[in-house]
Amino acid sequence: MLLFAVSAGVPVVLVLGAVTGWSHSVIGAPTWASWVIAALAIFIGLPLAWFSTPLGTRIATNLLLKAYRRDGLEYVERQYLSKLAPYRAGLQLFNLALALDHAGDQDGALVVYRHAADCGSPPAMVNLAYWLSRRGEEDEAREWLRRAVEAGYTRVVPGVGER
């Protein structure tokens, strides 16, 4: 929600600053520069605000899911996620893994959970540990749970790594 507020609020403030001449008088920016800054804020901020809403997140996940099914994980990572910070890419991969999991593709979800966990996503680490535990790979499951706790994950996950 904070991301939405900042991403939507900053462009509005900059446009108002350009329209009222505030940015020209207060920060000394020429009028044309005020408008360029405002336009860039709109071009970057509003899509970011949109994709931080629940509907925008679902649309982004569906886009990744279609690309994954059509072209594979390497394509998705190269085309869509390479521009993001690793942690943010991990969150997007986590959403993709959840979508695959809900669609019944557990093998694909496991691969994507592993990539998301490698990017540092604690929820992906926990889900990866869960699936590894279900497959009988308890040692690796416990290792991913340990990493998730080290990364700040605080929820208790019953049944994982307890065999």
Side-chain angles (χ1 to χ4, degrees):
M1 202 59 184
L2 178 64
L3 179 62
F4 175 78
V6 170
S7 300
V10 169
V12 170
V13 168
L14 290 174
V15 168
L16 289 176
V19 168
T20 61
W22 173 85
S23 54
H24 175 70
S25 63
V26 173
I27 63 174
T31 304
W32 66 268
S34 298
W35 280 104
V36 168
I37 293 168
L40 284 173
I42 289 170
F43 183 71
I44 295 167
L46 294 182
L48 185 60
W50 164 251
F51 283 114
S52 67
T53 64
L55 180 61
T57 301
R58 277 195 305 275
I59 290 172
T61 300
N62 287 337
L63 174 73
L64 292 178
L65 186 59
K66 287 178 186 174
Y68 171 81
R69 287 184 173 153
R70 185 183 63 236
D71 298 310
L73 183 59
E74 290 176 7
Y75 175 83
V76 167
E77 289 180 324
R78 186 176 60 250
Q79 287 298 114
Y80 296 104
L81 304 177
S82 63
K83 298 164 187 72
L84 300 175
Y87 184 77
R88 187 75 183 148
L91 291 176
Q92 292 298 324
L93 284 168
F94 174 70
N95 288 336
L96 174 59
L98 283 176
L100 288 168
D101 198 358
H102 290 293
D105 183 3
Q106 278 76 33
D107 291 332
L110 186 63
V111 170
V112 178
Y113 278 135
R114 189 174 297 278
H115 280 255
D118 288 338
C119 288
S121 171
M125 293 176 192
V126 171
N127 284 17
L128 177 61
Y130 170 78
W131 282 107
L132 290 170
S133 179
R134 288 197 61 188
R135 290 180 173 216
E137 300 174 34
E138 295 298 326
D139 292 337
E140 190 177 0
R142 277 191 288 279
E143 175 63 22
W144 280 110
L145 277 179
R146 184 189 61 75
R147 288 184 185 183
V149 169
E150 286 177 359
Y153 199 84
T154 57
R155 290 157 109 179
V156 175
V157 185
V160 178
E162 294 179 353
R163 285 188 193 169

